Amino acid sequence: DAKTTQPPSMDCAEGRAANLPCNHSTISGNEYVYWYRQIHSQGPQYIIHGLKNNETNEMASLIITEDRKSSTLILPHATLRDTAVYYCIVRVNYGGSQGNLIFGKGTKLSVKP
Amino acid sequence: DTAVSQTPKYLVTQMGNDKSIKCEQNLGHDTMYWYKQDSKKFLKIMFSYNNKELIINETVPNRFSPKSPDKAHLNLHINSLELGDSAVYFCASSQTSGGGQYFGPGTRLTVT
């Protein structure tokens, strides 16, 4: 799996957009960018994934650069409940063994009032 | 309705015992997983399983064994528990065709 690099921590004011960056300069052509988060004492939660086009769902937007070497997860209006560790993972889009998630250290996002 | 459920939520047991953790998903997924999160909060894959293949992470001791009675269930059996097995264990599921994995709430195992 391609290695990802994320800042260890970020702060965001409540109600503002949270922009979480991720570098994945060695991503392969068939690998997708996935984002998960883990709120304290809960199981990881799937957020969004994409290959090369920007993606949006009810939780977040994913912006992938044209060269696919980096991406940004955007939480448009962060709330206190978005405080969590966010993981950027690149992997093939396959649910079997080839698609095992390799978690790094992630970014600890703190949303402050 | 809970998508991925695990029982028990907490499990405290002594060294040398054998224990099981159950996992059930009602999402209709055909692949299930077990992950271990240690005290430093690192999440590591232990197994992935569908009706065609069981893939075991080579670092997982053979005291750990997954058992799948059907597509909706993947239980984790642990023999001869050791202190180092203390961790939070998460079950997850997904479609083999891809997409996100959906995780259960975790089982906190404490071995004394």
Side-chain angles (χ1 to χ4, degrees), chain B residues 14-39:
Chain B
Q14 293 182 331
M15 287 176 56
N17 285 348
D18 302 338
K19 290 294 180 184
S20 295
I21 305 172
K22 295 184 178 181
C23 177
E24 177 181 1
Q25 55 94 5
N26 63 6
L27 297 168
H29 290 162
D30 55 10
T31 301
M32 297 184 72
Y33 311 80
W34 277 104
Y35 289 83
K36 178 182 180 180
Q37 187 166 40
D38 60 24
S39 58

Side-chain angles (χ1 to χ4, degrees), chain A residues 34 36 38 40-49 85 87 91-105, chain B residues 9 31 33 35 37 41-45 47-48 50 53 55 90 94-106 108:
Chain A
Y34 280 77
Y36 287 79
Q38 188 173 24
H40 181 63
S41 296
Q42 297 183 20
Q45 179 185 23
Y46 163 74
I47 300 173
I48 198 168
H49 73 284
V85 179
Y87 298 96
R91 48 155 274 198
V92 295
N93 190 29
Y94 174 69
S97 60
Q98 296 174 40
N100 288 342
L101 298 175
I102 309 297
F103 287 86
K105 296 182 179 181
Chain B
K9 187 172 177 61
T31 301
Y33 311 80
Y35 289 83
Q37 187 166 40
K41 302 297 185 182
F42 288 118
L43 269 160
K44 292 185 179 179
I45 181 73
F47 307 98
S48 64
N50 63 23
E53 63 179 352
I55 302 298
F90 291 100
S94 74
Q95 291 286 22
T96 300
S97 56
Q101 291 183 18
Y102 292 82
F103 285 76
R108 181 174 293 278

Side-chain angles (χ1 to χ4, degrees), chain A residues 7-104:
Chain A
S9 64
M10 292 181 64
D11 289 342
C12 178
E14 188 178 18
R16 303 296 294 270
N19 298 288
L20 292 95
C22 180
N23 288 322
H24 32 79
S25 59
T26 59
I27 190 170
S28 300
N30 64 343
E31 288 182 316
Y32 285 64
V33 180
Y34 280 77
W35 283 84
Y36 287 79
R37 72 180 182 183
Q38 188 173 24
I39 296 170
H40 181 63
S41 296
Q42 297 183 20
Q45 179 185 23
Y46 163 74
I47 300 173
I48 198 168
H49 73 284
L51 181 63
K52 52 184 177 182
N53 297 322
N54 297 338
E55 301 288 343
T56 295
N57 63 19
E58 65 278 5
M59 290 182 67
S61 294
L62 174 60
I63 308 298
I64 303 174
T65 58
E66 191 169 347
D67 63 8
R68 303 210 321 125
K69 293 184 177 182
S70 65
S71 60
T72 301
L73 180 74
I74 301 173
L75 307 178
H77 306 287
T79 69
L80 298 179
R81 289 175 295 179
D82 292 321
T83 293
V85 179
Y86 287 77
Y87 298 96
C88 168
I89 300 169
V90 294
R91 48 155 274 198
V92 295
N93 190 29
Y94 174 69
S97 60
Q98 296 174 40
N100 288 342
L101 298 175
I102 309 297
F103 287 86

